[in-house]
Amino acid sequence: MDTYSLSAKFRRFLGEWEYLSGMDVQWQENRIDGYSFLLPQYQRTTYGFFGLIIRPVNRKVSLTGGLRYDRGELRISAFEDAYLVDYLRQNGYSEETIDGYRWRSYRVREGFGDFSGAVGVVWGISGYHTFRANLGRSFRLPGAHELASNGVHHGTFRHEQGDPALRSERGFQLDLGYVYSRGGLILEMSPFVSRYANYIYLKPSGEWSLLPYAGQIYRYTGARANLAGAELSVQWQLPETWSYGFSGEYVYTYNRDEKIPLSFSPAAAMRHSLSWKRGVVGVHAEMESIARQSRVARNEAPTAGTQLLHAGATLNLTSGGTVVEITLSGRNLLNRKYYNHLSFYRHVEIPEPGRNLQLLIKIPFKTTTR
């Protein structure tokens, strides 16, 4: 694959107003050799023009607004699997079935263009509180694999099938953020909600693929969809060189066309960590909780939750003016068997790593020039 990119930006200040404008151009070509490939042969040209305005209202409030137009042209070459056609014909499959497997990639000649934009505010409520909000409209061109693929992706163990009739992805997003920082405590929250008129996702079809080791066919599909979620993190510096950390995340998805969740929705998770450091020695422990993911799409299996324990220790040694960092860490110390809902290994029943230890030694090399 060859990719050539060009970007130009222009910035100007008029009083308290800041103006930023520019353009991006990219040309990309993917070539294939031999019989097996992950991406089809294609040429893609994209260009975009944008403008951004930043206006500080006062020392506490700042406003931003931006608008962008993007255009993309895709030329994807078809690839006929003549060997597979002969095999299916010799084994008595119908011509209708053969036509569904004939093309490893479809011929596509399409152009996509649309506007995107956003407005935002940052409000430093006080020395301890900061609030931000962004409301925007997004636009994304479909990729070559989403439009033209038709075969086993050997990195994911799936038969993935594109749709040449897909239109661009469009939606609206609202992102909020809040930060509280005082003394040894930092609290951050970032909820979001999105509503898509055409969200492109990989849909489990429930149809069994005739290709070996492929399982069911997954099709790239556009649908009206809602997404919402939040991330929460806490960092708390405790007495006696102890510190506590917490992080949690949750994503809710909903397919408005089929009234079910979207496929490949991540499971809710949270992590508690406790660490201690004095001088050159430090230790830490972490408890990770992953919830069961039962909000799945049709023809998608649920995934059980789990509790994981991690721990480690760090030692910093000084030798000849060089600080050598030695870290011994252990992951999944309880040796729990579990699956990652988003991992392609789950479909072939390969669990995530069990109990494992890692020794890491960092030796910096410094060069001084006069």
Side-chain angles (χ1 to χ4, degrees), residues 228 249-254 260-269 289-306 338-343 346:
E249 61 221 20
Y250 174 74
V251 176
Y252 172 88
T253 66
Y254 182 68
I260 58 175
L262 292 169
S263 57
F264 302 106
S265 299
S289 302
I290 304 174
R292 172 183 172 83
Q293 182 53 290
S294 55
R295 298 196 72 257
V296 294
R298 194 175 292 113
N299 304 310
E300 183 185 22
T303 304
T306 190
Y338 72 103
Y339 296 91
N340 182 343
H341 185 74
L342 301 184
S343 173
R346 181 174 70 99

Side-chain angles (χ1 to χ4, degrees), residues 64-365:
T64 60
L67 185 66
R68 181 182 177 103
Y69 176 78
D70 285 276
R71 178 73 184 177
E73 304 287 341
L74 263 170
R75 299 173 58 87
I76 306 174
S77 301
F79 186 95
E80 184 180 12
D81 192 336
Y83 297 105
L84 182 59
V85 169
D86 291 341
Y87 170 81
L88 295 177
R89 189 168 287 145
Q90 291 170 7
N91 283 270
Y93 288 95
S94 66
E95 288 300 318
E96 181 181 0
T97 300
I98 293 173
D99 287 341
Y101 290 86
R102 178 187 301 273
W103 303 105
R104 289 282 308 282
S105 64
Y106 305 117
R107 182 182 184 273
V108 177
R109 299 289 187 273
E110 283 289 350
F112 305 88
D114 209 337
F115 286 92
S116 57
V119 292
V121 58
V122 177
W123 180 19
I125 304 173
S126 70
Y128 308 129
H129 308 271
T130 302
F131 172 79
R132 63 171 177 80
N134 289 281
L135 176 64
R137 180 187 189 273
S138 67
F139 158 72
R140 183 178 74 84
L141 284 71
H145 60 295
E146 295 170 328
L147 292 168
S149 62
N150 185 25
V152 177
H153 189 305
H154 294 288
T156 59
F157 305 104
R158 286 193 299 258
H159 181 162
E160 298 183 0
Q161 195 173 80
D163 182 0
L166 276 180
R167 308 315 302 163
S168 57
E169 186 174 276
R170 305 181 308 278
F172 289 89
Q173 293 84 35
L174 173 64
D175 296 278
L176 304 176
Y178 170 75
V179 178
Y180 174 80
S181 178
R182 184 173 186 179
L185 177 63
I186 301 176
L187 169 67
E188 296 187 44
M189 293 187 295
S190 53
F192 73 92
V193 60
S194 304
R195 185 177 178 88
Y196 289 89
N198 187 47
Y199 182 77
I200 299 175
Y201 72 105
L202 202 54
K203 176 182 178 179
S205 69
E207 301 176 22
W208 192 261
S209 174
L210 297 178
L211 301 180
Y213 312 112
Q216 67 172 314
I217 299 175
Y218 289 76
R219 292 194 176 98
Y220 285 102
T221 308
R224 297 180 303 157
N226 295 341
L227 284 81
E231 294 181 355
L232 172 66
S233 68
V234 177
Q235 293 293 328
W236 189 12
Q237 189 65 46
L238 302 173
E240 300 296 331
T241 66
W242 289 90
S243 62
Y244 167 76
F246 170 84
S247 65
E249 61 221 20
Y250 174 74
V251 176
Y252 172 88
T253 66
Y254 182 68
N255 184 331
R256 303 202 312 271
D257 290 337
E258 300 188 31
K259 314 301 181 187
I260 58 175
L262 292 169
S263 57
F264 302 106
S265 299
M270 62 180 180
R271 300 167 186 85
H272 298 269
S273 63
L274 187 65
S275 60
W276 174 87
K277 185 175 182 180
R278 176 173 292 177
V280 298
V281 179
V283 295
H284 68 274
E286 178 183 306
M287 176 62 74
E288 181 178 5
S289 302
I290 304 174
R292 172 183 172 83
Q293 182 53 290
S294 55
R295 298 196 72 257
V296 294
R298 194 175 292 113
N299 304 310
E300 183 185 22
T303 304
T306 190
Q307 300 276 344
L308 305 174
L309 178 63
H310 317 300
T314 300
L315 176 64
N316 294 320
L317 300 177
T318 302
S319 176
T322 300
V323 179
V324 179
E325 181 181 307
I326 304 173
T327 301
L328 176 64
S329 62
R331 306 285 298 177
N332 192 7
L333 294 177
L334 301 179
N335 202 31
R336 294 287 176 82
K337 180 181 179 181
Y338 72 103
Y339 296 91
N340 182 343
H341 185 74
L342 301 184
S343 173
F344 47 79
Y345 291 116
R346 181 174 70 99
H347 302 288
V348 290
E349 298 185 0
I350 298 178
E352 296 300 299
R355 182 186 299 115
N356 61 96
L357 301 176
Q358 182 183 66
L359 178 64
L360 181 65
I361 301 176
K362 292 183 180 180
I363 305 175
F365 295 90

